[in-house]
Amino acid sequence: MLQQVDWNSLPLEWSSFDLEFFSSGKRLWDYQQSALKNTIKLLWKYYDDFGGDKSKLFQWYRINGLQENFDIKLSKKNGKLSSLLEEHFEIKNGRIPYSNYINRMGFWMATGSGKTLVIIKLIYILKKLIKLELIPDGDILFLTPRDDLINQFKKILDEFNYSEREKIELRDLREYPEVKRIPGLYGKPIFYYRADNISDEQKEKIVDYKNYYNYGKWYVILDEAHKGDKEDSKRQHIYTILSKNGFLFNFSATFTDPQDIITTGFEFNLSNFIERGYGKHICLLEEEVKAFRDEEDFSDEAKQKVVLKSLLLLTYIKKFYEMAKKEDLKLYHNPLLLVLVNSVNEEDADLKLFLKEIEKIGKRQIKRKLFKKAKKELFIELKKSPKFMYEDENFSLNKNLLKSIKYKDVLKYVFNSETPGEMEISYRPSSKKEVLFKLKSADRHFALSKTGNLPTWLKNELDRFNVNHQFEEESHFERINNEDSPVNILIGSRAFYEGWDSNRPNIIMFINIGIGEKAKKFVLQSVGRGVRIEPIPNKRKRLLALYNDKELEEDLFNSLKDKIQPIETLFIIGTNKKALDTVIKELKREETTTEIKLFKNPATEKHTLLIPTYKTANYSLWQENRGAKFEITQQQLELLKYYVDYFEDDKVLLFTYEVEPKILKILRKTLNEPRKYYNEGEREFKNVELLTRQVLSYLKVVPEELDKFKELEDEIKHFEHIKIYFKDAKELVKKINIMKDYPQKNKELDDLFKIAKNRSEYDKKHKELEEYKIFEHKGIKLIIKHIAQHYYVPLLMSEEEKIDYLSHIIKTKSEAGFIKKLEEYLQEPNNKFSNFDWWFFSKLDETLDEVYIPYYDPEINRLSKFKPDFIFWLKKNDKYYIVFIDPKSIKFTSYEHKVNGYKRLFEENDKPKDFMFNTFKVNVFLFLNTDDVNKLSDNSYKKYWLDNIETFLEVITESN
């Protein structure tokens, strides 16, 4: 739905935000900016286009294919919830229509994708939109389920505020009455609270939402606070009540509820995150740590073998890390084994059993045969080149390197030691949450355990360890990312799956986790934490992705490309491989999106297909004689002049509007000669501040000029990115492949007709070929056409605009109607296309293609790109014609600005200009196609309209 909203067509006041900048040290990634763009699109659609009417927004969903009934059914069993909802919503037949809940947007973003940065930038945008009166006035509330997440949010907000002039002030929700009496230092403060402490009763930390209700005019932002069944979870309904007359923004890495999924306005979950190169590859190993299962009788040797494999794998990865460091010391992270256990305190706790095996390996209390067996089994599995999850890529093993690993290598790379030794522990007596482990034979620690407190079993066994209390006051866990951190194994439970960031995990071992449904979120969050990557400081993409984005020198890439795959991989070892596989794969949307390519018409390759290209002018639009003027009502023009004159000192205006002094001088100049620079229009702005900003923006608009004509390369590319929104596309792909070669297949049929002994064989094959022209899904037909002169083949067209299972095809009524007219005209024996040496045409896609005519659009007050629906190329001797055709209804009113853009560049004295390209004399034409030109009012633009194909062919030939 949001793809239908063109970002470049939004009014300037909605789309002029700097979406990239976050702080002096951070910029938002392209996908984070896309999340914000989609948010602005939806807010514009809801508040501007639909006037804040929920029923219209809900109808938009219905038009785009929403069929499910998500009405909230009230239950007598849950009388309290029913009473709560009845107080705020109109009940119809025992249900609350889901349209009451539709003013919301979900952000399905992977753990580690930087949701917090998006949230803070969203808050900044909301404040601006409220200030400009583009969205209703309301308070903003940030809710998250844990204190550590609130602290993390505050920390990142401080970084944002340090670099931003318009700061965001954060206040506890309980301060709401006080803030309402005394405004904040930086305008409207933002409130925050623990999501799970919002209720319909008041206690010490629990707050009653009714005390903060404010008629439901809240902009509520939920960060991982959406959990709970929507029918039963009271808090979820309270969030909706608070945002009833505002808006709800819902951020999570794991959406499972259908209502969250259908209102997701931005999807960048773990699978997308990795596919786009932002995270490590994920390799789920066949090895299972069943030896640690309580109910199964495994020997200590089996436990030791599993642990040995993880240490051998860590050693293997660290050797690659060592190679990368020789190229550049700043590259990559120091690989780490992350061990997540289910039990910590029991006598046979997973933590105790794991450390017991680590202790034995450190003391070399292992059999040589077992070491060899562990290495051999690891070798056999990795030699099979296991496939990475979500990707069509496999792990590639360096066989000699793995084979060469000896026990002394494990000591060096894992235990930070040259020789075996007894294990000793360190912890701070004042805080026993962190316990460090090292060998007596080494001078550095190698492992860190972080739990709620010193485990009970460890307290009881302290006498058998050498306890070293020389533990710095600084937390070793907080230093885990430092270059000098000696920790190679990090052990913990569910205590730190959120709220910490590290690129270091290359292996995650789940011990007795991931078996039950409850572990699902923990596993996903842990994996999300483990996939982060940063090959080069501040560059968070895999090396190949950086190279493809031209952010990496070719020499460095070539020297590293064969040395980094293990460092760029997260290996996962679990108690139940099948369960983990299911959980992680669930992040792939059930209704997958497939992308297919159509085919470039080979006939076009023999001919020159030209397109115009442009360059930025060295002057502003207001300076140009033929430039479009700013449209304003006489009343608002007088108001603007009065407002600007009121500020005799330009310093006030400079500070308020952040413009250069020369722009203010130009503003005063234009207001003194208004007829020269302004046109009387109908559009009115909500306040004088917004009006002033718009005029100042207009004065900075720089037009584009024609640069040259060039041969078409990849500027028309939408046909290579046809998206299919259903599971099995085999039948469609088959029909497309057949229709690509339709002329050849048709000729074979003609030949068969001549030699066929009976008509039945011919009729059968003819019927089969005709069936390939139609594909049907969800009761909606797709027509697959082969048009000999089209730039790509076949052409995909739907006669129903509601088709929702394909994108980037012909589906609007006017476009389909034009194709039909064209095909009918081509059937005429003496059609005028035959007068040309050759001709071709192509559909143009508004979102992906780069063929356009620049023009000034006063509705959005900026330079826009007019992308007509079709482009034609025709050649006759040395005359070359480029013809743009845009099928439109005569009710289409903004065409005048687009035609003006065309005239400014390609006409002189109302006639097409002559341009030269090699030996061709090139003319460019624009036509708007409609059903009946006689219905048009008689005006100066009438000559650009046509209602039949032959007209435009006559016009272009007569022009010469």
Side-chain angles (χ1 to χ4, degrees):
M1 288 163 63
L2 292 175
Q3 282 180 355
Q4 298 170 21
V5 181
D6 181 12
W7 173 257
N8 294 317
S9 295
L10 293 185
L12 192 67
E13 62 266 30
W14 285 88
S15 58
S16 58
F17 295 101
D18 180 353
L19 300 180
E20 183 181 8
F21 180 81
F22 184 84
S23 68
S24 55
K26 282 190 176 78
R27 297 291 183 274
L28 294 188
W29 291 105
D30 56 355
Y31 66 85
Q32 292 169 319
Q33 293 178 53
S34 294
L36 292 167
K37 280 185 178 180
N38 277 11
T39 312
I40 293 168
K41 284 181 183 182
L42 183 57
L43 291 173
W44 172 81
K45 191 76 178 170
Y46 178 52
Y47 287 113
D48 196 310
D49 200 21
F50 295 150
D53 188 331
K54 288 187 194 180
S55 61
K56 288 182 179 178
L57 181 59
F58 186 68
Q59 188 58 31
W60 192 35
Y61 274 83
R62 286 285 191 222
I63 289 168
N64 281 276
L66 176 64
Q67 297 173 350
E68 293 89 345
N69 185 348
F70 290 124
D71 290 355
I72 312 300
K73 188 178 179 181
L74 300 183
S75 167
K76 290 180 181 178
K77 292 178 183 177
N78 198 337
K80 279 190 174 182
L81 179 60
S82 295
S83 300
L84 174 73
L85 296 176
E86 284 171 2
E87 192 179 334
H88 295 282
F89 300 105
E90 184 184 351
I91 312 300
K92 293 182 179 179
N93 302 320
R95 292 172 176 265
I96 300 171
Y98 188 65
S99 56
N100 287 287
Y101 285 64
I102 205 70
N103 55 326
R104 55 190 289 161
M105 174 177 169
F107 300 75
W108 192 348
M109 296 180 70
T111 302
S113 61
K115 293 195 299 289
T116 307
L117 274 66
V118 175
I119 289 170
I120 290 170
K121 196 76 176 181
L122 168 60
I123 290 170
Y124 172 80
I125 289 167
L126 288 173
K127 284 189 69 176
K128 283 273 194 181
L129 292 173
I130 291 169
K131 186 179 178 183
L132 292 170
E133 299 178 19
L134 295 171
I135 62 177
D137 193 10
D139 291 303
I140 301 169
L141 175 61
F142 171 70
L143 296 172
T144 193
R146 295 205 319 272
D147 289 330
D148 60 306
L149 296 177
I150 289 174
N151 292 333
Q152 181 190 357
F153 180 79
K154 288 179 178 177
K155 184 179 177 183
I156 298 175
L157 181 61
D158 285 343
E159 182 183 343
F160 176 83
N161 280 338
Y162 186 77
S163 302
E164 182 59 52
R165 199 183 82 172
E166 294 189 40
K167 304 187 187 311
I168 295 171
E169 183 183 355
L170 205 57
R171 301 288 287 269
D172 189 298
L173 180 61
R174 290 170 294 187
E175 299 176 69
Y176 185 73
E178 178 191 336
V179 171
K180 285 295 168 183
R181 288 195 307 272
I182 307 168
L185 291 170
Y186 306 106
K188 187 181 286 292
I190 308 307
F191 297 93
Y192 72 92
Y193 210 63
R194 277 272 297 261
D196 52 347
N197 285 339
I198 304 279
S199 186
D200 58 350
E201 57 184 351
Q202 191 78 26
K203 294 182 181 178
E204 184 183 353
K205 288 188 177 179
I206 303 290
V207 299
D208 187 342
Y209 81 94
K210 290 189 288 292
N211 296 331
Y212 310 95
Y213 174 53
N214 192 29
Y215 306 103
K217 294 179 180 179
W218 285 91
Y219 296 94
V220 177
I221 299 171
L222 304 178
D223 182 22
E224 295 294 353
H226 65 292
K227 301 294 183 280
D229 187 273
K230 297 297 177 293
E231 298 290 331
D232 302 319
S233 173
K234 184 168 61 177
R235 278 199 305 274
Q236 298 305 319
H237 292 290
I238 288 174
Y239 304 150
T240 303
I241 290 166
L242 287 171
S243 58
K244 173 186 169 184
N245 296 311
F247 214 89
L248 182 69
F249 304 94
N250 199 349
F251 288 78
S252 180
T254 52
F255 281 146
T256 53
D257 189 286
Q259 296 170 48
D260 287 326
I261 292 170
I262 65 147
T263 54
T264 292
F266 180 72
E267 182 184 348
F268 200 73
N269 60 23
L270 185 60
S271 59
N272 286 328
F273 189 69
I274 289 163
E275 286 167 1
R276 293 270 299 276
Y278 287 99
K280 299 186 186 93
H281 306 292
I282 296 180
C283 184
L284 184 56
L285 297 180
E286 295 290 335
E287 177 63 53
E288 295 184 328
V289 286
K290 285 182 178 176
F292 286 87
R293 293 276 289 271
D294 296 336
E295 66 271 24
E296 297 184 39
D297 185 21
F298 285 91
S299 65
D300 286 348
E301 194 172 276
K303 294 184 179 74
Q304 198 169 102
K305 188 174 69 172
V306 172
V307 176
L308 264 172
K309 284 185 184 180
S310 67
L311 302 189
L312 282 162
L313 183 55
L314 181 62
T315 304
Y316 175 81
I317 299 165
K318 278 182 171 282
K319 280 180 171 280
F320 279 89
Y321 170 67
E322 197 173 57
M323 284 189 268
K325 282 291 187 186
K326 286 179 182 175
E327 298 292 337
D328 190 329
L329 287 171
K330 293 179 182 177
L331 292 174
Y332 288 98
H333 55 271
N334 186 5
L336 176 83
L337 166 62
L338 176 60
V339 181
L340 298 171
V341 299
N342 190 47
S343 56
V344 171
N345 282 309
E346 295 83 21
E347 183 57 33
D348 288 325
D350 304 326
L351 177 60
K352 178 182 178 181
L353 296 175
F354 177 79
L355 286 170
K356 184 180 173 185
E357 299 311 320
I358 287 288
E359 188 180 4
K360 287 179 189 174
I361 296 167
K363 290 195 291 187
R364 201 169 191 170
Q365 288 182 350
I366 51 170
K367 295 175 183 175
R368 189 170 292 179
K369 282 184 181 178
L370 185 65
F371 185 87
K372 285 184 177 179
K373 188 176 182 183
K375 186 164 72 169
K376 184 179 179 182
E377 288 183 10
L378 180 66
F379 179 87
I380 289 169
E381 178 170 2
L382 295 179
K383 191 177 74 167
K384 293 176 184 174
S385 299
K387 191 174 182 181
F388 296 136
M389 298 191 80
Y390 313 129
E391 300 178 86
D392 289 325
E393 190 176 339
N394 297 68
F395 177 74
S396 178
L397 176 68
N398 183 320
K399 298 173 187 175
N400 293 332
L401 195 149
L402 181 57
K403 281 181 179 178
S404 70
I405 294 175
K406 296 182 170 52
Y407 173 74
K408 66 177 184 179
D409 295 312
V410 176
L411 277 179
K412 175 184 174 183
Y413 290 100
V414 178
F415 290 92
N416 297 326
S417 179
E418 298 295 327
T419 56
E422 296 282 336
M423 196 158 73
E424 68 174 30
I425 66 172
S426 302
Y427 62 87
R428 289 204 311 264
S430 60
S431 174
K432 300 168 187 169
K433 292 181 179 181
E434 295 181 24
V435 181
L436 284 162
F437 302 86
K438 83 175 191 69
L439 300 186
K440 286 184 183 178
S441 55
D443 57 5
R444 293 192 303 154
H445 299 96
F446 72 89
L448 169 63
S449 166
K450 188 176 186 296
T451 56
N453 212 326
L454 192 67
T456 307
W457 61 267
L458 189 54
K459 285 181 187 174
N460 298 334
E461 295 190 20
L462 281 177
D463 57 340
R464 79 177 182 84
F465 288 106
N466 179 37
V467 181
N468 181 352
H469 284 317
Q470 291 180 345
F471 193 146
E472 306 90 341
E473 283 304 307
E474 190 179 1
S475 163
H476 272 263
F477 178 64
E478 289 178 6
R479 289 173 47 209
I480 200 81
N481 291 330
N482 290 6
E483 276 291 320
D484 61 352
S485 173
V487 175
N488 297 317
I489 303 174
L490 179 59
I491 313 158
S493 59
R494 298 166 190 260
F496 60 85
Y497 72 89
E498 280 182 340
W500 68 290
D501 298 328
S502 180
N503 305 317
R504 291 192 59 192
N506 272 102
I507 309 169
I508 297 182
M509 178 184 277
F510 292 104
I511 300 181
N512 289 329
I513 291 172
I515 301 166
E517 182 65 26
K518 289 182 180 177
K520 185 174 175 180
K521 179 186 173 186
F522 175 66
V523 168
L524 292 177
Q525 296 280 19
S526 304
V527 171
R529 292 285 157 192
V531 296
R532 296 186 176 202
I533 195 163
E534 194 173 357
I536 297 168
N538 300 316
K539 301 288 184 185
R540 292 178 175 265
K541 272 189 177 182
R542 295 194 301 272
L543 201 76
L544 179 59
L546 290 176
Y547 174 70
N548 289 338
D549 290 346
K550 298 179 180 175
E551 295 187 54
L552 189 72
E553 292 176 7
E554 188 169 356
D555 290 346
L556 182 58
F557 173 73
N558 288 330
S559 65
L560 283 169
K561 63 182 180 181
D562 298 325
K563 302 170 186 173
I564 46 88
Q565 195 194 54
I567 320 171
E568 293 193 340
T569 303
L570 175 66
F571 297 89
I572 300 173
I573 307 171
T575 309
N576 185 326
K577 191 248 182 186
K578 188 176 179 182
L580 284 175
D581 189 53
T582 303
V583 166
I584 298 168
K585 278 183 178 173
E586 271 186 13
L587 283 178
K588 265 285 192 188
R589 287 281 295 277
E590 254 186 62
E591 194 170 42
T592 54
T593 303
T594 309
E595 192 169 272
I596 61 169
K597 292 183 179 183
L598 303 180
F599 304 90
K600 188 176 173 183
N601 188 341
T604 63
E605 294 174 10
K606 302 172 187 174
H607 302 286
T608 301
L609 305 184
L610 297 178
I611 58 167
T613 63
Y614 310 96
K615 61 183 178 182
T616 303
N618 58 5
Y619 52 84
S620 297
L621 186 67
W622 67 271
Q623 295 173 288
E624 189 183 49
N625 290 332
R626 300 180 73 189
K629 299 177 182 179
F630 187 85
E631 294 188 0
I632 188 171
T633 65
Q634 185 61 35
Q635 186 180 4
Q636 287 213 318
L637 182 61
E638 290 169 7
L639 173 64
L640 177 64
K641 187 170 187 340
Y642 177 81
Y643 177 73
V644 172
D645 288 344
Y646 178 78
F647 296 102
E648 293 180 5
D649 188 349
D650 278 355
K651 289 175 187 172
V652 179
L653 289 169
L654 286 170
F655 180 80
T656 306
Y657 296 101
E658 300 175 33
V659 291
E660 298 173 62
K662 67 176 183 180
I663 298 293
L664 281 183
K665 285 183 182 177
I666 294 166
L667 174 63
R668 293 189 186 277
K669 170 187 167 76
T670 62
L671 291 173
N672 288 329
E673 302 176 79
R675 288 187 181 180
K676 190 174 177 181
Y677 300 105
Y678 298 93
N679 274 340
E680 189 165 343
E682 295 179 0
R683 189 180 180 196
E684 292 197 348
F685 297 91
K686 292 183 179 181
N687 54 59
V688 71
E689 184 184 348
L690 185 57
L691 169 61
T692 307
R693 289 185 186 279
Q694 288 293 304
V695 175
L696 290 170
S697 294
Y698 166 76
L699 296 175
K700 291 186 280 186
V701 172
V702 176
E704 286 187 329
E705 296 176 326
L706 182 69
D707 183 22
K708 61 182 179 181
F709 291 91
K710 69 178 285 289
E711 291 191 44
L712 182 67
E713 292 176 284
D714 60 352
E715 290 83 5
I716 299 176
K717 55 193 169 191
H718 71 272
F719 65 92
E720 297 179 341
H721 303 280
I722 307 291
K723 289 191 188 292
I724 303 174
Y725 298 94
F726 56 89
K727 281 186 180 178
D728 190 358
K730 287 178 185 174
E731 185 191 349
L732 175 58
V733 171
K734 181 183 176 182
K735 291 189 173 189
I736 286 170
N737 286 330
I738 292 288
M739 290 305 294
K740 174 193 73 163
D741 301 319
Y742 180 78
Q744 181 185 334
K745 302 285 181 190
N746 209 32
K747 183 180 181 304
E748 289 170 4
L749 267 180
D750 289 342
D751 293 342
L752 179 64
F753 181 78
K754 293 171 186 174
I755 63 170
K757 293 179 181 177
N758 59 65
R759 278 292 296 269
S760 61
E761 187 183 356
Y762 168 80
D763 290 342
K764 180 185 172 186
K765 290 194 175 293
H766 182 266
K767 185 182 177 186
E768 283 177 4
L769 187 58
E770 290 302 301
E771 284 174 355
Y772 286 120
K773 293 180 178 179
I774 302 291
F775 175 81
E776 191 168 338
H777 180 69
K778 290 185 177 180
I780 299 175
K781 287 183 180 178
L782 177 73
I783 300 165
I784 307 171
K785 288 181 174 291
H786 188 292
I787 301 179
Q789 281 79 23
H790 197 254
Y791 177 62
Y792 60 87
V793 290
L795 202 64
L796 302 184
M797 187 172 88
S798 169
E799 292 180 348
E800 296 184 52
E801 295 192 16
K802 288 184 181 179
I803 189 167
D804 63 349
Y805 59 82
L806 275 174
S807 69
H808 306 306
I809 65 165
I810 293 175
K811 61 181 181 181
T812 63
K813 190 177 179 181
S814 58
E815 292 170 7
F818 178 77
I819 291 292
K820 193 175 179 182
K821 277 185 188 177
L822 178 63
E823 286 191 298
E824 288 170 355
Y825 181 69
L826 288 172
Q827 296 302 313
E828 295 180 14
N830 297 315
N831 73 72
K832 286 185 164 48
F833 280 110
S834 58
N835 295 337
F836 294 87
D837 300 339
W838 56 261
W839 70 276
F840 292 98
F841 81 109
S842 181
K843 168 77 177 77
L844 295 178
D845 184 272
E846 195 172 42
T847 54
L848 294 181
D849 295 339
E850 295 166 23
V851 180
Y852 67 95
I853 299 170
Y855 75 103
Y856 171 72
D857 185 346
E859 289 296 313
I860 61 173
N861 190 25
R862 70 178 182 202
L863 209 64
S864 279
K865 294 179 178 180
F866 171 33
K867 296 184 178 181
D869 290 325
F870 297 97
I871 181 172
F872 281 73
W873 300 275
L874 307 98
K875 179 198 170 285
K876 175 70 174 175
N877 298 328
D878 64 342
K879 296 182 177 65
Y880 191 104
Y881 308 94
I882 299 172
V883 181
F884 291 105
I885 298 184
D886 201 49
K888 284 285 179 286
S889 161
I890 57 171
K891 294 177 182 176
F892 178 66
T893 54
S894 64
Y895 69 85
E896 293 173 356
H897 308 303
K898 295 178 178 180
V899 174
N900 287 342
Y902 157 76
K903 290 170 67 176
R904 177 181 159 269
L905 294 169
F906 299 110
E907 282 191 353
E908 199 164 43
N909 300 322
D910 289 330
K911 289 187 178 180
K913 286 183 186 177
D914 292 334
F915 301 95
M916 293 302 296
F917 182 88
N918 296 337
T919 58
F920 296 143
K921 186 177 83 170
V922 180
N923 295 126
V924 181
F925 293 83
L926 170 67
F927 296 101
L928 306 169
N929 183 71
T930 188
D931 293 331
D932 187 355
V933 293
N934 294 318
K935 292 180 181 178
L936 287 161
S937 59
D938 189 16
N939 61 39
S940 58
Y941 293 91
K942 194 169 183 177
K943 72 171 189 173
Y944 298 98
W945 287 89
L946 58 89
D947 55 11
N948 67 78
I949 302 296
E950 192 162 286
T951 301
F952 97 78
L953 296 169
E954 289 172 349
V955 169
I956 67 172
T957 50
E958 287 170 9
S959 67
N960 288 282

